[in-house]
Amino acid sequence: MAWSCSSSSNKGLVSNLENARIFQNSRVREAMLGVDRKHYCPRNPYQDSPQLIGYNVTISAPHMHAMCLDALADHLKPGSKALDVGSGTGYLTACMAIMVGFSGKAVGVEHVPQLVQQSISNIKADGKEYLLDSKSLIMIEGDGRKGIAEHGPYDAIHVGAAAPTIPQSLIDQLKPGGRLIIPVGNIMQELLQVDKVILRQGCSVSLVSSIQSLDGN
């Protein structure tokens, strides 16, 4: 179903994703309509499949971004803090920034320095320079597996690239009640959801559930 969501425009793409029930939250629709994918994906921006963005890196398919935003929507409310690991060209980080608003903060971390600079240029080209100026959107070069503790803890963490296991540092940087979405595995991958729950005794426990099996993102 998801792979049939391609369109010739951003509005058409978002509409197709919603009609296919890839996402159901209206705030996800508003964010995806507000961030035009053409500024972040140099080839086939409205095709519902992964696309190369250079440096041996791909931007995830739109249905994956929509699915992850929908899973995190209740944790991307105004005033929330969000971390996007492997932020690439900045698309999903910009969507998160719109959802958390000026009172919140979205942090994108990417290990390829050229992509960090490109993402900043993309955000400006998309007319979202005000997010950078207000510091509600920050793009950082670094090893995302370690998180960015200085801006945490986070209500929502998204990881774009698959990891063999869930990095403990990211779980540590989740707020109590926070949620992490991450693809895990090597050849066979699963999109996992990690919820940090606080027990009565004041201890925290991480509840892990599978969103879906992946054959590409």
Side-chain angles (χ1 to χ4, degrees):
M1 178 76 71
W3 288 77
S4 66
C5 293
S6 302
S7 181
S8 59
S9 68
N10 195 58
K11 183 177 180 180
L13 173 64
V14 175
S15 178
N16 289 344
L17 291 166
E18 185 172 26
N19 290 337
R21 301 185 70 79
I22 304 302
F23 72 87
Q24 300 181 51
N25 190 291
S26 62
R27 294 174 56 249
V28 174
R29 180 201 317 119
E30 292 167 8
M32 293 186 74
L33 286 174
V35 181
D36 196 326
R37 197 174 171 88
K38 72 180 182 182
H39 296 293
Y40 304 84
C41 182
R43 298 180 181 177
N44 307 312
Y46 310 127
Q47 183 172 315
D48 193 16
S49 61
Q51 300 293 324
L52 290 169
I53 54 175
Y55 311 101
N56 200 30
V57 178
T58 61
I59 182 173
S60 295
H63 72 268
M64 286 300 301
H65 282 155
M67 186 185 303
C68 292
L69 286 173
D70 204 51
L72 290 170
D74 288 343
H75 304 268
L76 292 171
K77 295 179 177 178
S80 297
K81 286 186 178 182
L83 176 65
D84 183 22
V85 175
S87 50
T89 58
Y91 172 80
L92 196 70
T93 323
C95 288
M96 295 170 109
I98 287 178
M99 293 179 74
V100 302
F102 288 119
S103 59
K105 181 177 290 185
V107 179
V109 55
E110 170 58 54
H111 75 281
V112 180
Q114 295 92 334
L115 284 177
V116 176
Q117 293 306 312
Q118 184 179 324
S119 66
I120 293 171
S121 297
N122 294 341
I123 291 163
K124 292 178 179 179
D126 194 25
K128 303 295 184 295
E129 188 169 2
Y130 65 91
L131 294 173
L132 297 169
D133 292 341
S134 67
K135 305 298 183 183
S136 57
L137 173 55
I138 301 173
M139 308 305 292
I140 296 174
E141 178 189 342
D143 183 352
R145 294 169 297 181
K146 298 178 181 178
I148 302 292
E150 65 186 278
H151 292 294
Y154 301 97
D155 301 277
I157 299 178
H158 166 266
V159 180
T165 59
I166 302 171
Q168 184 60 44
S169 57
L170 297 182
I171 295 176
D172 292 342
Q173 290 175 39
L174 268 183
K175 278 186 185 178
R179 176 171 290 176
L180 162 67
I181 301 293
I182 179 172
V184 173
N186 294 313
I187 298 174
M188 301 297 294
Q189 297 176 7
E190 277 191 296
L191 187 64
L192 299 182
Q193 174 178 300
V194 181
D195 292 300
K196 182 177 277 191
V197 178
I198 302 301
L199 304 178
R200 270 186 203 173
Q201 297 86 347
C203 300
S204 65
V205 60
S206 299
L207 302 180
V208 182
S209 57
S210 176
I211 295 179
Q212 75 167 40
S213 297
L214 303 175
D215 57 2
N217 61 339

